Amino acid sequence: MEIKQTALAGTLESSDIQIMLSKGTDGIQITLDSAVEKQFGDQIRAVITQTLQALKITAANVKAVDKGALDCVVKARTIAAAQRALGTTDQPAWEVF
């Protein structure tokens, strides 16, 4: 699916992550800002990538600012940002959950 608009989900509060999605041309490109990037950066990137792929998004620029979010929060914020970017907030992709 193709991203229609730039979208944002999440906050900069502790134990959360802010995900911003915009149109991409060369696969899924992730820019991650996290205090725990050395320990968990690969896992955060993997959760974001797998979630976007499950939503059939193959090209996107992702900016993620992590404040210690658990995987379930990363996935939820990625789904919310993706649905906003695709304009499908009224059609939840239940199979991705």
Side-chain angles (χ1 to χ4, degrees):
M1 298 185 88
E2 186 176 330
I3 292 177
K4 297 178 183 177
Q5 62 190 11
T6 299
L8 183 71
T11 68
L12 297 176
E13 298 295 320
S14 181
S15 300
D16 203 353
I17 188 168
Q18 187 175 68
I19 303 279
M20 183 170 59
L21 285 180
S22 59
K23 287 184 183 182
T25 55
D26 189 28
I28 297 171
Q29 303 295 320
I30 301 172
T31 303
L32 177 62
D33 177 17
S34 175
V36 295
E37 184 170 1
K38 287 184 180 181
Q39 295 94 342
F40 301 109
D42 291 341
Q43 177 64 20
I44 295 167
R45 285 184 182 87
V47 170
I48 293 169
T49 301
Q50 291 166 2
T51 304
L52 291 176
Q53 289 172 341
L55 290 165
K56 309 280 191 273
I57 296 173
T58 57
N61 291 322
V62 182
K63 182 174 184 204
V65 181
D66 174 57
K67 298 294 183 180
L70 298 174
D71 285 359
C72 58
V73 176
V74 175
K75 185 173 184 177
R77 296 304 193 190
T78 303
I79 291 170
Q83 289 188 321
R84 290 172 185 168
L86 296 170
T88 60
T89 54
D90 60 337
Q91 306 160 7
W94 297 111
E95 66 277 3
V96 176
F97 292 105

